[in-house]
Amino acid sequence: MRTAYALPAATISFLASSAPAYADLKLCNRMSYVVEVAIGIDDKAATATRGWFRIDPAACRVVAQGTLTADRILLHARALGVYGSSPVPQSGNDTLCIAPDNFVIAAARQCRGGQTPAPFTQVNPTKTDDGHLVAYLAEGSEYDDEQARLAGIQRLLVIAGYDAAPIDGVDGPKTQGALAAFLKTRGLAAEVVQSPKFFATMIDAVQSPSTTGLTWCNDTPHKIMAAVGTDDGKTVISRGWYRIDPGKCLHPDVSGQPKQIFSFAEAVDGENRALKFRERPLNWGGTTQLCTRESKFEVNDQNDCGNRGLNPTGFTAVDMSSGGKTLRFAMP
C-alpha cells in the first residue's frame, strides 16, 4: 500500500482562539500550498464529515453556513497531488472517515466501502466582526497573506521547472525573473498574476507536459503513485511517493544536475493498494534496483534494502539527453 499522506519536517497548525460556534465557518489558507480540506462536525452522539474544499494560498472559503451547534469542529487537510507526497502532516487525535472525491458521510466513525480513516484535528475558530467564525491553516514559516501567496507562486514555479528558490515568500529579482519566464512561455499577460484563478492557471501548467526536466503523465483511469531516483555521480537518492491523478501530468522536484534519473510508478486503488491487470502488477519500472518504502521516503543508501526494512524496487533509467523527457503511463 502506498501512503499518499506523509510527514515532512514542516508543520501545519490551525491558528485559532476559543469562541462559541454560532455563525458561518470560514477557513483561510496561510500556507504555500493549494490545499483541499475536509471538515468534521461532532454533535452529541453523531459525527459527520464533508469534503473536499479547495483553498488557494492567501484565500478564504466558507465551509459551513448557518448556525453551528456542534460540540466540536474538526479539520483534515491535504495538499494537491502536484506537490508530490502530501506536505501536510496529519497528526490529529480523532480518526474519521473520508472519501477520495467530494463526499458527505453522515456516520463518520465507522468507515464503509470506498471510505478510509484519516486523522482530524479539533479547532476552536475565532469570531470576526462580520459574524464569521474563522480558522487559519498555517505553516511553521508563519506567513501572512501576502507572503503565503508569493511563497505559493514560488513553489509552483519551482515544480514547473523555473528557478524561484528559495521558497520564502520574499520577492526579488530571481522570483520576478522566473515568473516573467513562466508568463512568456505560457503566452500570458502580466495582469493574470492578480487574477483569482492564477493558481489554477499555474497548476494546469504544472500538470502539462514540459520540454524541460522529467514529466510523468497518467493516461490510465487509475490513480498512480510514482517515485524518482537521481544519481549525481556520488550518491544515488530515491524519493517518493508522488500522486498522479488520471488524465494529469506531474513534474517531480529534481534539483541540481544529476547524471542519471530513474523512474518507477504503479497504479493503486482508492485505498492505495497496488493494482493488477490480467493477473500482473500494473506498474512501470525497470531493472535498476533502488530502495523504497510504503510511506513517504527519501533514501540515499541503495545497498541491502531488504535487511534495512526497505523494499528493493525495479526502476527504469530515463534518457534525459534531449533536456526533457515525458513518460506516459497507459494501460497495456
Side-chain angles (χ1 to χ4, degrees):
M1 182 179 75
R2 306 305 179 200
T3 303
Y5 313 114
L7 314 183
T11 60
I12 177 176
S13 60
F14 299 100
L15 305 179
S17 62
S18 180
Y22 53 81
D24 292 354
L25 173 62
K26 182 164 63 174
L27 300 181
C28 295
N29 181 9
R30 285 183 174 169
M31 302 179 67
S32 58
Y33 302 88
V34 179
V35 296
E36 294 175 323
V37 179
I39 62 171
I41 303 295
D42 199 353
D43 192 3
K44 299 179 175 64
T47 304
T49 54
R50 180 180 179 185
W52 296 94
F53 301 95
R54 177 166 159 168
I55 313 175
D56 292 341
C60 297
R61 182 168 179 179
V62 173
V63 297
Q65 294 181 316
T67 302
L68 296 176
T69 59
D71 297 324
R72 296 192 307 153
I73 299 171
L74 306 107
L75 298 181
H76 170 89
R78 68 183 187 186
L80 297 189
V82 297
Y83 299 108
S85 294
S86 180
V88 181
Q90 311 297 350
S91 57
N93 296 322
D94 285 78
T95 300
L96 305 178
C97 302
I98 61 172
D101 302 315
N102 291 339
F103 66 90
V104 176
I105 302 174
R109 292 196 179 274
Q110 296 294 327
C111 300
R112 297 166 179 81
Q115 301 172 5
T116 55
F120 278 67
T121 301
Q122 180 179 348
V123 294
N124 298 300
T126 300
K127 185 187 177 185
T128 61
D129 293 339
D130 61 5
H132 284 107
L133 296 174
V134 180
Y136 292 89
L137 285 71
E139 286 181 71
S141 303
E142 297 185 354
Y143 297 124
D144 60 24
D145 285 342
E146 182 178 354
Q147 292 167 335
R149 190 174 192 277
L150 183 56
I153 291 172
Q154 290 171 328
R155 190 172 299 282
L156 287 171
L157 285 171
V158 170
I159 294 174
Y162 299 88
D163 186 6
I167 299 166
D168 55 8
V170 178
D171 202 1
K174 192 175 181 182
T175 295
Q176 288 302 313
L179 182 56
F182 168 80
L183 296 173
K184 181 178 180 180
T185 301
R186 300 289 166 175
L188 299 171
E191 292 76 17
V192 74
V193 177
Q194 302 306 319
S195 166
K197 297 182 179 180
F198 185 56
F199 279 101
T201 299
M202 296 197 74
I203 288 169
D204 285 343
V206 171
Q207 293 181 324
S208 301
S210 173
T211 56
T212 61
L214 174 62
T215 303
W216 288 312
C217 289
N218 181 359
D219 295 335
T220 80
H222 308 292
K223 179 173 67 176
I224 285 177
M225 302 300 289
V228 66
T230 57
D231 181 358
D232 64 3
K234 297 179 180 178
T235 305
V236 179
I237 299 174
S238 56
R239 184 169 63 252
W241 298 92
Y242 297 83
R243 185 179 85 234
I244 315 169
D245 294 323
K248 301 297 184 179
C249 297
L250 187 145
H251 312 295
D253 47 336
V254 176
S255 59
Q257 298 290 329
K259 297 180 180 296
Q260 182 68 72
I261 293 178
F262 305 91
S263 170
F264 173 81
E266 68 178 359
V268 298
D269 64 14
E271 297 181 358
N272 294 319
R273 295 174 300 196
L275 292 175
K276 289 186 177 182
F277 181 76
R278 294 175 182 171
E279 305 304 318
R280 300 184 63 180
L282 186 54
N283 60 33
W284 299 265
T287 58
T288 301
Q289 295 289 309
L290 302 181
C291 300
T292 66
R293 63 164 53 98
E294 300 299 324
S295 57
K296 181 189 176 183
F297 67 91
E298 181 169 320
V299 180
N300 57 14
D301 180 359
Q302 307 303 324
N303 295 312
D304 203 15
C305 303
N307 287 333
R308 294 190 291 125
L310 302 172
N311 301 319
T313 303
F315 282 63
T316 185
V318 182
D319 181 7
M320 303 294 295
S321 59
S322 61
K325 181 70 173 182
T326 297
L327 298 181
R328 308 200 74 99
F329 307 128
M331 298 299 293

